[in-house]
Amino acid sequence: MSDKRRGYFRQIPIYLFKFFRMFIYMDEWKIIPMAGLIAALVSFAIGKDLFVNMEGTLKGSLALTCVCIWNGFFNSIQTVCRERQIIKREHRAGMRISSYITAQMIYQAFLCLIQAIVTLIVCVISGIKMPIAGLVTPFFYTDILLTFFFITYSADAMSLFISCLAKNTTIAMTVMPFVLIFELLFSGGVFALEGVSNNLSFLTIAKYGLCAVCAIGGYNSLPMTSIWKQVVKLQDYEYEGLHPVKMFIEELERDGKVEEFCLKTAESNFNIAYESTNSNVVGCWVVLLLFALFFAFLSILVLRRIDKDKR
């Protein structure tokens, strides 16, 4: 092994231990209970319909995806810019940027995994009705945990890259909400996207995270209840002394056809992007992982120019 490679591998544990010391002694562990609190608030708001009907699953999946992205952003948005001068000094003394970023990615993977576990535990405790069988693994919990992790980790890597670009923590924290809004708008879960806007959605972490969660949750096989609820609201409608809507409702309820009606209306809302297949979920995972690797690579390229930085 060349001296260059030995130097790369020797420096990784040095910085990795440094990050774990910061986790313990600089109160970075506080991001863990924060992740639980955010997950609890979201679960309280959308939990009753998640994985129960189409509408609740779409909204809930988007909310959980945003929770994971939010956690990932907060993990690393200030990591580099807050100690930029230290990194510059150590780089001039022989620190390898590739070793530093590799150690960061290993450490951030640890944080993201803990946050994904905490998020899943909170969802279970809050009483969200979850399927049992998984698509990729035998268990739904394993599939959803891996999905939470990949979403959080890719968002974390993006945030790390932003931290490498930002002049200071103020700029980094200012940029972060705009990136989150972009992820939300172009996720495909809020607005119907067409043309250029639809093409932009393929550049977002939220799109692949949302697709993975919906696919695992069986979105396309769930009933659509919003139309039925609107029909029920019209049951007092009167026409020539009759209540045709109420008669229709009573007939469906008497014949036990309400569930069938909801499933039939759901067919019009079928979305191939949320198809519950092994290949669809794994494909989303791979893209999310590629996002993480891509942003890690960009972070190395940007930070290698730190000696030329006038900041």
Side-chain angles (χ1 to χ4, degrees), residues 35-46:
L37 177 60
I38 296 173
L41 292 174
V42 171
S43 299
F44 175 77
I46 51 85

Side-chain angles (χ1 to χ4, degrees), residues 291-309:
F291 268 125
L293 296 176
F294 175 69
F295 285 115
F297 176 71
L298 290 182
S299 298
I300 294 174
L301 292 182
V302 170
L303 213 54
R304 277 180 175 173
R305 300 177 58 85
I306 195 169
D307 288 339
K308 300 180 182 180
D309 194 353

Side-chain angles (χ1 to χ4, degrees), residues 1-11 96:
M1 185 181 296
S2 65
D3 291 339
K4 190 174 182 180
R5 286 190 176 182
R6 280 198 295 268
Y8 168 77
F9 287 109
R10 284 174 180 172
Q11 289 189 9
R96 298 184 61 83

